[in-house]
Amino acid sequence: MDLTTLERLPLWIGGRAADPTTTRYGEVTNPATGEVIRHVPFANAADVDAAVQAAAKAFPTWRAAPPLRRARVLMRFRELLDTHKKDLARVVTQEHGKTLVDAEGSLTRGLEVVEFAAGIPHLLKGEYSDAVGTDVDSYSLRQPLGVCVGITPFNFPAMVPMWMFPLAIACGNTFVLKPSERDPTLSLRLAELLQEAGLPDGVFNVVHGDKEAVDALLRHPLVRAVSFVGSTPIARYIYETGAANGKRVQALGGAKNHAVVMPDADLAFATEAIIGAGYGSAGERCMAISAIVAVGDVADPLITKLAERARRVSVGPGDADDAEMGPVITCAARDRIVGLIDRGVAEGARLVVDGRRPAVSGHDAGFFVGATLFDNVTSDMAIYREEIFGPVLSVVRVPSLTDAVALINANPYANGAAIFTRSGHAARRFQQDVEIGMAGINVPIPVPMAFYSFGGWRNSLFGDLNVHGTDGVRFYTKLKTVTSRWPDDGSAAPGFHMPLMG
Ligand code: NAD
């Protein structure tokens, strides 16, 4: 199936492309050109039910497959991902806008979760206690939940779904993915590759859509668990609605990530790191740096360096060789970001580099915003309070590390934060005191590797368990503890008191 020429995308149900019953469709746009390139169905409750039923039907056989056999499917899938990385990156770039290099990088981060999940026979090992009582042993099992659901955002159409389904299916669950309606095509390519890798039909399904599809998933009686990544208001809604309907939920929300720059930092290093972390992927990363906290007298020299580099960031279509930064996702996103820059100016921040009208020749209808830098930003301004999700960096000046940490800890979001310093003492104080899910020390985007778990605190994550790593295994399994005795002389007498071991 050549999806790139299809005008209307199908769903993927029970191991094949399926026409939906819905008549509602949305537009998928190439953000570099502004052109509508295909249409995506907005699944209704009947479409969602068909996908969930297919997943439920596949579950008994899949959960019974030995973990090693499940792992081998993932090993083959990993090889296919690697072989097709360049074509997959093109699909991401066409619908999302990020540069090809960045798209490939995000595929690699997803592939790493597949590699981690391929270790599932080891990861599922339980605990065993010999003789917890006379002739009594106790041990634990981790068993799959059933049908699990992933609802994912536009900014990582490959990586974020791969934070979820490799581990979910490795644990023996079946899966329904509801990808973002803005860049939905990659999910279908992943479905095809999983099938080619030998995944049985119905173990992985895709429904496209918006709130209607999401609500049908949240309320479906056969859905056992929901993993969500997206903006904070929707994450909160998913958590509350999913929990009210008896689902296990992990819902990752938005972010406002800070980089603290200490007076002793290597400024050339910090500048390059912050430029990449702030403007890479046009700032549309949940771990993008958004606020720079300049401590003491570092602010002036830091801003000089940042401004000089920000003015040189090359903006263009993601498939252009020299583009460092592509467009943002939609026309509405561009207008929102430009509106926030206007507000920053109106509220008194100093606009050092203005990216509101970048010239991208031959792409007048593309959704481009240039690298933008503000100085003298304060915590009451909209550009500080709101998640901009665009290429805008705001410098907040503070006198000390204590003030920097207090600023970060007072922010409602708590995904990532980084410190740039040469002082081990300052770095350790930061590590201990910052109230945040993921901390970086001279690392601007401290995204944990697949074998650690990813997640924020406060409004950046609703639920108890992070994604991937061992938290992922715990999320996608239920714990069962067995206490066993094998008497062979029929001597067990009925006991009417609390059972005591020993
Ligand atoms: P979004 O919240 O608009 O959409 C996410 C998903 O929710 C999509 O699949 C969408 O179809 C669905 N959705 C949207 N509105 C809904 C509604 N009213 N009811 C039910 N479902 C709905 O997010 P987005 O714009 O696609 O992605 C950007 C956001 O995601 C940013 O806030 C970013 O910080 C966040 N994000 C967070 C992380 C993280 O790890 N914490 C990672 C990536 C992105």
Side-chain angles (χ1 to χ4, degrees):
M1 176 173 47
D2 179 6
L3 289 166
T4 53
T5 60
L6 282 185
E7 202 200 350
R8 289 187 159 196
L9 293 178
L11 311 178
W12 183 271
I13 297 179
R16 61 182 183 86
D19 288 331
T21 62
T22 183
T23 51
R24 284 200 312 128
Y25 278 77
E27 292 178 342
V28 181
T29 310
N30 178 339
T33 62
E35 284 165 355
V36 175
I37 46 177
R38 52 189 67 99
H39 291 93
V40 57
F42 286 170
N44 57 27
D47 298 321
V48 165
D49 182 56
V52 175
Q53 294 290 353
K57 191 170 159 220
F59 177 62
T61 310
W62 183 243
R63 70 163 285 186
L68 190 57
R69 197 179 309 155
R70 302 199 294 254
R72 285 186 179 137
V73 172
L74 289 168
M75 290 176 205
R76 287 192 290 274
F77 177 57
R78 185 239 171 257
E79 287 310 300
L80 290 168
L81 281 175
D82 203 34
T83 307
H84 293 281
K85 202 186 275 177
K86 291 226 178 289
D87 326 333
L88 297 172
R90 287 210 165 268
V91 177
V92 171
T93 295
Q94 188 195 33
E95 292 187 353
H96 175 278
K98 64 179 75 179
T99 63
L100 285 170
V101 180
D102 198 28
E104 268 193 56
S106 70
L107 276 155
T108 302
R109 297 311 298 259
L111 182 148
E112 288 162 6
V113 182
V114 180
E115 290 170 341
F116 175 70
I120 200 68
H122 175 71
L123 294 166
L124 283 181
K125 285 193 305 202
E127 297 170 312
Y128 186 94
S129 295
D130 188 23
V132 292
T134 305
D135 292 338
V136 179
D137 306 322
S138 192
Y139 49 95
S140 63
L141 314 174
R142 288 213 158 264
Q143 297 192 315
L145 309 175
V147 179
C148 297
V149 162
I151 301 163
T152 53
F154 78 82
N155 66 325
F156 283 110
M159 181 184 81
V160 169
M162 284 197 274
W163 282 354
M164 303 170 179
F165 72 77
L167 262 182
I169 63 180
C171 289
N173 301 287
T174 54
F175 203 84
V176 179
L177 174 65
K178 206 303 284 171
S180 170
E181 64 277 34
R182 310 239 176 266
D183 42 18
T185 301
L186 194 93
S187 60
L188 297 169
R189 289 291 295 128
L190 295 176
E192 288 180 323
L193 294 180
L194 282 165
Q195 187 172 56
E196 200 179 329
L199 191 73
D201 293 347
V203 176
F204 180 78
N205 307 274
V206 179
V207 289
H208 299 294
D210 58 0
K211 181 171 168 50
E212 186 177 346
V214 170
D215 283 344
L217 287 164
L218 292 176
R219 300 204 162 92
H220 200 294
L222 292 177
V223 169
R224 299 283 178 251
V226 178
S227 300
F228 172 87
V229 176
S231 59
T232 288
I234 310 297
R236 193 192 302 271
Y237 169 76
I238 300 282
Y239 183 71
E240 290 174 357
T241 312
N245 283 278
K247 320 295 181 209
R248 181 178 287 196
V249 186
Q250 53 182 184
L252 281 68
K256 191 82 190 175
N257 305 308
H258 296 68
V260 177
V261 183
M262 297 297 288
D264 67 353
D266 175 338
L267 281 197
F269 173 79
T271 300
E272 281 305 316
I274 290 170
I275 290 283
Y279 301 135
S281 205
E284 292 176 324
R285 291 184 184 135
C286 54
M287 289 291 275
I289 295 292
S290 171
I292 302 162
V293 192
V295 176
D297 58 9
V298 80
D300 288 338
L302 176 67
I303 287 164
T304 304
K305 280 191 177 309
L306 285 171
E308 188 276 320
R309 183 64 185 87
R311 287 190 189 98
R312 287 192 287 115
V313 171
S314 64
V315 185
D319 56 4
D321 288 342
D322 58 348
E324 290 177 303
M325 195 169 89
V328 297
I329 186 73
T330 55
C331 185
R334 193 227 1 237
D335 293 348
R336 199 184 137 269
I337 295 163
V338 168
L340 275 163
I341 300 173
D342 292 342
R343 259 181 95 180
V345 174
E347 289 180 350
R350 185 168 75 90
L351 185 56
V352 184
V353 181
D354 184 354
R356 282 176 288 188
R357 282 170 208 82
V360 181
S361 95
H363 287 79
D364 295 342
F367 313 136
F368 292 96
V369 184
T372 298
L373 178 68
F374 276 109
D375 184 17
N376 289 332
V377 175
T378 53
S379 58
D380 54 339
M381 293 178 182
I383 49 169
Y384 178 79
R385 283 185 286 107
E386 292 194 23
E387 181 185 32
I388 302 174
F389 225 54
V392 181
L393 282 168
S394 299
V395 177
V396 183
R397 296 171 178 240
V398 298
S400 69
L401 177 58
T402 305
D403 297 296
V405 170
L407 180 80
I408 296 169
N409 291 354
N411 196 287
Y413 296 109
N415 226 30
I419 186 168
F420 290 89
T421 182
R422 289 188 170 104
S423 156
H425 176 73
R428 188 163 191 287
R429 261 193 64 205
F430 177 78
Q431 169 199 300
Q432 293 303 109
D433 295 347
V434 75
E435 293 169 5
I436 212 91
M438 295 166 282
I441 296 169
N442 296 313
V443 172
I445 303 191
V447 175
M449 296 296 286
F451 32 93
Y452 282 84
S453 298
F454 180 112
W457 293 5
R458 298 199 288 282
N459 285 353
S460 294
L461 189 147
F462 303 92
D464 305 310
L465 291 169
N466 290 1
V467 291
H468 62 67
T470 48
D471 263 18
V473 178
R474 289 169 68 198
F475 183 78
Y476 290 121
T477 54
K478 280 185 292 201
L479 182 68
K480 182 179 284 179
T481 307
V482 180
T483 307
S484 90
R485 169 156 57 195
W486 292 94
D488 64 357
D489 60 358
S491 63
F496 297 97
H497 50 75
M498 266 305 278
L500 299 173
M501 298 297 177

